[in-house]
């Protein structure tokens, strides 16, 4: 079926953002020659809030004119976020769908999307490109959690994806640079759990202290 009302964005020396017509057609006009990356976003979704649904690359020759046939193969993902304390659904938890392959990631957030859970702790991503993904979930007072990877296939719905959030743990400490003639202007720390969760903390320049709060 024609992809009516999809947003098409390219970013480079010449930037364009257009919307497909009822036949799925779009025109980007003049672009810089070389590798062109197109990002596609479903109707009604924000490119910067949720990321690109899918991406497509091609080579544009100097003084060339290209007609590209793009096939967007999509499925759906749905699931629920629960509290690890009592097993109850978490309302309003932030849920991110993130592709696992690095090639699909970029400044726009990567191929995926973002949403929040409803009154039953449920979430749904209606339009998802084929590929492997993880769900990342977070809520106030809970540590961010990532699920195991799962595969999304065309015209299929991945159901019952479960993310369980546990109470956040605070870790504090201090970094000391022994024998350094001059302290660095800034230092960031990254903590990664065995389950794939990540957290970041900035080290205070004056005291060397840091705190992971979630």
């Amino acid at each position: 079926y024609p992809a009516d009302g999809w947003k098409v964005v390219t970013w480079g020396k010449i930037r364009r953002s257009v919307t497909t017509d009822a036949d799925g057609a779009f025109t980007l006009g003049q672009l810089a020659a070389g590798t062109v990356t197109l990002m596609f976003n479903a109707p009604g979704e924000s490119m910067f809030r949720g990321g690109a649904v899918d991406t497509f690359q091609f080579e544009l020759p100097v003084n060339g004119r290209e007609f590209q046939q793009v096939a967007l193969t999509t499925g759906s993902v749905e699931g629920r976020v629960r509290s690890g304390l009592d097993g109850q659904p978490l309302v309003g938890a932030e849920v991110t769908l993130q592709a696992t392959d690095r090639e699909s990631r970029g400044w726009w957030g990567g191929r995926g999307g973002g949403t929040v859970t409803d009154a039953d702790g449920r979430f749904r991503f209606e339009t998802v490109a084929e590929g492997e993904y993880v769900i990342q979930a977070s809520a106030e007072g809970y540590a961010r959690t990532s699920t195991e990877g799962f595969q999304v296939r065309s015209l299929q719905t991945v159901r019952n994806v479960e993310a369980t959030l546990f109470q956040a743990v605070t870790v504090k400490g201090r970094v000391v640079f022994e024998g350094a003639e001059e302290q660095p202007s800034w230092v960031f720390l990254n903590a990664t759990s065995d389950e794939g969760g990540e957290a970041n903390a900035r080290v205070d320049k004056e005291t060397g202290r840091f705190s992971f709060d979630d």
Side-chain angles (χ1 to χ4, degrees):
Y1 300 97
D4 180 17
W6 281 62
K7 182 178 291 185
V8 185
V9 177
T10 185
W11 190 271
K13 294 180 180 178
I14 300 177
R15 306 170 184 178
R16 293 282 189 273
S17 177
V18 299
T19 302
T20 59
D21 63 19
D23 294 324
F26 62 91
T27 301
L28 287 168
Q30 291 185 334
L31 299 174
T35 302
V36 176
T37 300
L38 303 181
M39 294 164 282
F40 296 88
N41 202 239
E45 298 293 336
S46 169
M47 180 73 71
F48 300 99
R49 167 68 173 87
V53 169
D54 208 351
T55 58
F56 179 81
Q57 281 190 337
F58 65 94
E59 292 297 321
L60 180 63
V62 177
N63 298 323
R65 183 179 179 88
E66 289 287 312
F67 178 85
Q68 295 290 336
Q69 187 76 26
V70 182
L72 299 175
T73 53
T74 62
S76 301
V77 176
E78 60 183 38
R80 176 178 284 179
V81 178
R82 297 180 183 272
S83 169
L85 301 178
D86 54 15
Q88 294 299 308
L90 285 176
V91 182
E94 294 188 2
V95 181
T96 302
L97 177 73
Q98 179 66 62
T100 58
D101 59 299
R102 293 184 179 276
E103 287 75 12
S104 73
R105 301 182 183 183
W107 60 266
W108 60 89
R111 195 176 65 194
T115 187
V116 295
T117 56
D118 63 16
D120 295 320
R122 296 187 178 277
F123 61 86
R124 180 176 174 85
F125 295 94
E126 189 67 40
T127 309
V128 182
E130 282 189 314
E132 185 177 273
Y133 295 84
V134 295
I135 288 291
Q136 296 180 338
S138 62
E140 185 175 357
Y142 291 87
R144 176 179 293 274
T145 297
S146 296
T147 67
E148 294 184 357
F150 55 87
Q151 196 73 25
V152 176
R153 304 189 186 281
S154 178
L155 304 179
Q156 294 183 351
T157 299
V158 179
R159 305 181 189 277
N160 302 320
V161 178
E162 291 277 345
T164 302
L165 301 187
F166 293 91
Q167 189 172 9
V169 175
T170 298
V171 178
K172 297 183 178 182
R174 183 167 177 259
V175 176
V176 178
F177 295 91
E178 295 183 350
E181 295 182 0
E182 184 178 345
Q183 296 284 359
S185 57
W186 58 268
V187 177
F188 276 100
L189 298 181
N190 176 265
T192 305
S193 71
D194 292 339
E195 292 74 23
E198 292 187 0
N200 298 286
R202 181 162 187 162
V203 178
D204 184 89
K205 181 181 178 180
E206 302 299 328
T207 65
R209 297 194 177 279
F210 65 88
S211 176
F212 291 98
D213 298 321
D214 60 352

